[in-house]
Amino acid sequence: MSLTRRQAMLGWVLGSAVLMVLGAFGPWVKALGQSVAGTDGGNDGWFVVAAAAVAAALFYRLREVPAAGIWPLIGGVIGAFVTLYDRNNVQDAIDEGGAFVRALAQVGWGLNLAIVASVSFAVAGAVWWRKYDDIYPVAPLADPPGSHDALAAPSATAPAAAESDHAVTPAMPGPTAPPEQPATELRT
């Protein structure tokens, strides 16, 4: 069974949202065998989870319209902003701790996954929005039989007036008397 373009796009959008959530629950910082997840306590991973869940739900609900792609785009941008901000802060803290801290602490895989998944989510939403007609091709309306005949070049049997540059309207019948009504007898 092969995937259709629509199924592949749905998989990309929703798969990115799932990976955002997975990254949010994964470790964002690892040190001395311990890790801190993005959702531990009041960490910013909850913003990533909320952005992914809300945007994916709205996208799935509205997936039949091109504008549905705006939700993953917004959710992905929010997720990318939060994760890039946190990665910068974590890396700065590690770097400021000196050689000893750099040897013991590192950015966790969950934070890196959340960044990549957020960017993927945003890009998938933008592609959905811009390429909707390619994803959901609309079958062209069938032309009624003979409709192309009117647009075809005039045939050799067509009247000469049809070949001129001037529009010719058919002759309209002149005024006519209304049809006579049958006489009715009045009885008293």
Side-chain angles (χ1 to χ4, degrees), residues 93-122:
I94 291 171
D95 291 342
E96 289 174 6
F100 182 70
V101 174
R102 281 193 300 272
L104 299 176
Q106 63 186 16
V107 174
W109 63 263
L111 183 52
N112 291 329
L113 177 61
I115 291 169
V116 171
S118 295
V119 170
S120 176
F121 196 43

Side-chain angles (χ1 to χ4, degrees), residues 10 61 88 160:
L10 281 170
R61 173 79 170 90
N88 188 38

Side-chain angles (χ1 to χ4, degrees), residues 51-81:
V54 170
L58 288 169
F59 166 78
Y60 192 76
R61 173 79 170 90
L62 300 171
R63 69 188 179 277
E64 301 295 327
V65 297
I70 193 73
W71 298 112
L73 177 61
I74 292 170
V77 168
I78 291 169
F81 176 77

Side-chain angles (χ1 to χ4, degrees), residues 42-188:
N43 291 343
D44 290 344
W46 289 110
F47 291 116
V48 177
V49 171
V54 170
L58 288 169
F59 166 78
Y60 192 76
R61 173 79 170 90
L62 300 171
R63 69 188 179 277
E64 301 295 327
V65 297
I70 193 73
W71 298 112
L73 177 61
I74 292 170
V77 168
I78 291 169
F81 176 77
V82 168
T83 54
L84 288 169
Y85 176 81
D86 282 355
R87 189 178 199 297
N88 188 38
N89 284 345
V90 168
Q91 193 63 53
D92 284 349
I94 291 171
D95 291 342
E96 289 174 6
F100 182 70
V101 174
R102 281 193 300 272
L104 299 176
Q106 63 186 16
V107 174
W109 63 263
L111 183 52
N112 291 329
L113 177 61
I115 291 169
V116 171
S118 295
V119 170
S120 176
F121 196 43
V123 170
V127 169
W128 183 277
W129 192 14
R130 299 297 297 158
K131 297 292 186 181
Y132 179 83
D133 292 334
D134 294 339
I135 298 164
Y136 280 95
V138 177
L141 297 175
D143 293 329
S147 65
H148 292 289
D149 295 344
L151 300 176
S155 67
T157 60
E163 295 176 357
S164 74
D165 291 339
H166 302 291
V168 176
T169 56
M172 300 295 289
T176 58
E180 291 188 29
Q181 299 291 329
T184 57
E185 293 181 26
L186 293 172
R187 293 188 181 178
T188 55

